[in-house]
Amino acid sequence: MAQPKYRQIASELRDQIVSGILREGDRLPPEPKLQEQYAASRNTVRDATALLLHEGLVYRVPGRGGGMVVRRRATLTFHAHRAEMPAQPVAETDAWRSEVVAQGYEASQDFSLMIRAVSSDLAERLHVEPDSVAVLRRCVRHINGQPSSLQDTYYPMDLAEDVRELLSPKDIPQGTTRLLAERGHEQVAYYDEYVSRMPTPEETNLLGLQPGTPILLHIRTGYTEHRPVRVSFNVLAGDRNQIVTTHGDVRIIAKFRPEEAPE
Amino acid sequence: MAQPKYRQIASELRDQIVSGILREGDRLPPEPKLQEQYAASRNTVRDATALLLHEGLVYRVPGRGGGMVVRRRATLTFHAHRAEMPAQPVAETDAWRSEVVAQGYEASQDFSLMIRAVSSDLAERLHVEPDSVAVLRRCVRHINGQPSSLQDTYYPMDLAEDVRELLSPKDIPQGTTRLLAERGHEQVAYYDEYVSRMPTPEETNLLGLQPGTPILLHIRTGYTEHRPVRVSFNVLAGDRNQIVTTHGDVRIIAKFRPEEAPE
DNA sequence: CAGTGGTCTAGACCACGCG
DNA sequence: GCGTGGTCTAGACCACTGG
């Protein structure tokens, strides 16, 4: 056997998915049917479908009326440049919500606040001592009631003491970026890191991820003229989100992508 | 059983990895040993280790002297803003190579050239007719002899007829961005999309990916003052790459991240 | 050769949830 | 109820590769 049997089965099913014979939301044949069709044991069939599962092509639904369902590829576009560019008077939280609504979904967010000792990674980005503490503002973002992304933003403690609102576990109406700017901490530069990796079990729970769903991690460090003032870890479910930014003259882009027009 | 046995086993092994008891490159106990330790059948042990495999924590090496090895987390940082920002006189290919070398690795690239009918996705980004053709320049990038990323760049056919070098299946020494600028097609704006997803089987082969390795996809559309002139699909192996960009005043960032200093 | 993981079989019992 | 996937067992043979 040049190709193991379970890969053969997976290939045929995969072809049916990518070619469109099976469409989003359709169900694969149930396991007993596949055992018949391919004269394979149940474990072999499961090895085959596990491949598709971890490729992110299908998910499994237990119980009668369930089965293996072809995943849909609906993605929310998240504009990382919109809300937070220097001199853009739009609050980032409202910007996120309005983006979601504009794309036809329903949005909600859960805030929480913690005081945390900074890890070495974080200390380096915030340029503070590794043993110091920082304010962590966590925002779990839901789309249509389903968790979609997780944003952890850290502020140095001395900054939070200067801008006390940061210590309140509530949404800041105008957005933290704007608030900081009003108090003389305007961010004028951003350092953005993008990483793709598999989720930790904690992230799997928080975001309700299916197996085979990677994470898009966006780490943004914001700088005033004098120093870094915050670091955001934005953890996005890879199957439901993408990030967009622009560089250069946005007006040119807007001519060809009307949805990018500045508001 | 609140927690299935295979998840229990996976949790204990995972804890040993994330806590550092098992370090990068270390081997997990072999399957027969795990069967003993946990009084489990081989399939159950394999279900457990399959979880770690798909979390990207370990990879499996067949054969004597092999085993399940804790993966290392070495990542190459790719500066998406460096080479291609308007008015930056650095060629992107040389920039990629010098970045790799600066980070202590060895770099090589394979070019190839194709003429392709444009898909609807691509047509939209390039703002051309869906049935027209485009030039595809593919560059497979290797680090230390191992494939690391794959870049497909599409140019509209009429542009390639104006700038004939694009039709040559060879590296363009000064880089295509610079070449285009010299011929009056200077790119002054970029539209960047970031996506995290599992690889297709083709990408798995091309990049030599282990199971549990997601893809970081960076799609960059470049615009002159008049229109989009190219689209690059940059497919990065998630376990070996991250992307960095900056917005705003780079000099401020350079004060705290010396490696970001403009060259 | 001997030990590693890779593949495959044939069965079993369970949890879930639609009809 | 009963069909779906979820978990688990016990065994088998194979391919690869270091010692």
Side-chain angles (χ1 to χ4, degrees):
Chain A
M1 222 176 296
Q3 184 83 320
K5 192 191 274 190
Y6 77 98
R7 288 187 185 276
Q8 203 62 45
I9 301 174
S11 291
E12 296 199 20
L13 294 173
R14 186 188 300 110
D15 287 347
Q16 292 180 30
I17 294 171
V18 300
S19 74
I21 296 176
L22 289 168
R23 293 143 159 267
E24 301 183 347
D26 283 356
R27 289 164 61 212
L28 269 54
E31 290 176 355
K33 195 83 88 183
L34 292 174
Q35 292 181 53
E36 265 184 52
Q37 270 183 43
Y38 294 98
S41 74
R42 183 163 176 226
N43 277 345
T44 300
V45 165
R46 283 182 66 80
D47 283 350
T49 56
L51 269 187
L52 305 181
L53 187 72
H54 290 118
E55 283 169 16
L57 292 178
V58 305
Y59 60 93
R60 301 208 267 224
V61 181
R64 173 143 187 182
M68 285 166 293
V69 185
V70 179
R71 281 170 74 157
R72 56 180 231 298
R73 297 227 154 263
T75 57
L76 177 80
T77 299
F78 184 74
H79 290 81
H81 65 296
R82 272 251 180 94
E84 308 186 88
M85 283 304 98
Q88 282 231 5
V90 185
E92 72 256 39
T93 57
D94 294 334
W96 179 80
R97 183 187 303 275
S98 64
E99 276 207 277
V100 174
V101 171
Q103 291 171 52
Y105 305 99
E106 191 228 330
S108 66
Q109 319 188 46
D110 286 341
F111 275 92
S112 54
L113 184 136
M114 290 166 264
I115 310 288
R116 284 276 186 90
V118 307
S119 66
S120 59
D121 270 14
L122 186 55
E124 203 180 312
R125 291 191 177 86
L126 270 184
H127 212 255
V128 298
E129 293 303 314
D131 287 331
S132 60
V133 294
V135 179
L136 163 57
R137 293 175 66 87
R138 168 169 292 186
C139 177
V140 182
R141 290 169 165 164
H142 300 259
I143 294 179
N144 291 344
Q146 189 188 24
S148 172
S149 70
L150 171 65
Q151 179 169 330
D152 280 354
T153 304
Y154 293 86
Y155 302 89
M157 204 59 203
D158 67 287
L159 187 78
E161 276 158 5
D162 184 33
V163 184
R164 311 286 301 186
E165 288 91 333
L166 290 178
L167 291 167
S168 152
K170 295 199 305 188
D171 192 351
I172 293 175
Q174 71 268 47
T176 51
T177 303
R178 210 180 185 181
L179 172 68
L180 285 175
E182 290 167 2
R183 303 299 175 79
H185 303 282
E186 190 193 358
Q187 294 169 60
V188 296
Y190 294 107
Y191 185 79
D192 285 342
E193 301 163 74
Y194 297 92
V195 174
S196 171
R197 61 164 169 76
M198 295 313 284
T200 64
E202 190 195 356
E203 289 163 347
T204 301
N205 286 334
L206 276 169
L207 296 177
L209 300 178
Q210 294 287 338
T213 308
I215 283 296
L216 177 56
L217 175 62
H218 176 207
I219 308 172
R220 167 163 284 187
T221 309
Y223 296 81
T224 64
E225 275 189 25
H226 307 294
R227 60 146 169 171
V229 286
R230 62 97 186 218
V231 178
S232 297
F233 294 83
N234 213 340
V235 181
L236 311 190
D239 59 343
R240 311 198 270 279
N241 294 278
Q242 69 171 339
I243 295 179
V244 166
T245 69
T246 60
H247 292 267
D249 190 338
V250 187
R251 289 166 304 176
I252 294 169
I253 297 173
K255 276 196 285 187
F256 300 94
R257 303 192 75 111
E259 77 278 11
E260 292 304 315
E263 282 145 24
Chain B
M1 222 177 295
Q3 184 84 320
K5 192 190 273 189
Y6 77 99
R7 288 187 185 275
Q8 203 62 45
I9 300 175
S11 291
E12 296 199 19
L13 294 173
R14 187 189 299 110
D15 288 346
Q16 292 180 32
I17 294 171
V18 300
S19 73
I21 297 175
L22 289 168
R23 295 145 156 265
E24 301 183 348
D26 283 357
R27 288 162 63 212
L28 268 55
E31 290 177 355
K33 194 83 89 186
L34 292 173
Q35 293 182 51
E36 267 185 51
Q37 272 184 40
Y38 295 99
S41 74
R42 182 160 177 227
N43 279 344
T44 299
V45 165
R46 282 182 68 78
D47 283 350
T49 56
L51 269 188
L52 305 181
L53 188 70
H54 290 118
E55 284 169 17
L57 291 178
V58 303
Y59 59 93
R60 301 209 266 224
V61 181
R64 173 142 185 183
M68 284 165 292
V69 185
V70 179
R71 281 169 74 158
R72 53 179 231 298
R73 296 232 154 261
T75 56
L76 176 81
T77 300
F78 183 74
H79 291 81
H81 65 296
R82 273 250 180 94
E84 308 186 86
M85 282 305 98
Q88 281 231 5
V90 185
E92 73 256 39
T93 58
D94 294 333
W96 179 80
R97 183 188 303 276
S98 65
E99 276 207 278
V100 174
V101 172
Q103 291 172 51
Y105 304 100
E106 190 228 331
S108 64
Q109 318 188 46
D110 286 341
F111 275 92
S112 55
L113 184 135
M114 289 167 266
I115 308 288
R116 285 276 185 89
V118 307
S119 67
S120 60
D121 270 13
L122 185 55
E124 203 180 313
R125 292 190 178 88
L126 271 184
H127 213 254
V128 297
E129 293 303 314
D131 286 332
S132 59
V133 293
V135 179
L136 162 58
R137 294 176 65 88
R138 168 169 292 186
C139 177
V140 183
R141 290 168 166 166
H142 300 259
I143 295 180
N144 291 346
Q146 190 189 25
S148 173
S149 70
L150 171 64
Q151 179 169 328
D152 279 355
T153 302
Y154 293 86
Y155 302 89
M157 204 60 203
D158 68 286
L159 187 77
E161 276 157 5
D162 184 31
V163 185
R164 310 287 301 187
E165 288 92 332
L166 290 177
L167 291 168
S168 152
K170 295 198 306 189
D171 193 351
I172 293 175
Q174 71 270 46
T176 51
T177 302
R178 209 179 184 184
L179 172 67
L180 286 176
E182 290 167 1
R183 303 301 175 79
H185 303 283
E186 191 193 357
Q187 292 170 60
V188 296
Y190 294 106
Y191 184 80
D192 285 343
E193 300 164 74
Y194 297 91
V195 173
S196 171
R197 62 164 169 76
M198 295 313 283
T200 65
E202 190 196 356
E203 290 163 347
T204 300
N205 286 334
L206 276 169
L207 296 177
L209 300 178
Q210 294 286 340
T213 309
I215 283 296
L216 176 56
L217 175 61
H218 176 207
I219 308 173
R220 167 162 285 186
T221 308
Y223 295 82
T224 65
E225 277 188 23
H226 308 294
R227 60 145 169 171
V229 286
R230 62 98 186 216
V231 178
S232 297
F233 293 83
N234 214 339
V235 181
L236 311 190
D239 59 343
R240 313 197 270 279
N241 294 278
Q242 69 171 339
I243 295 180
V244 166
T245 70
T246 61
H247 292 267
D249 190 338
V250 187
R251 289 166 305 177
I252 293 169
I253 297 173
K255 276 197 285 188
F256 299 94
R257 302 192 76 109
E259 76 278 12
E260 292 305 314
E263 282 148 23

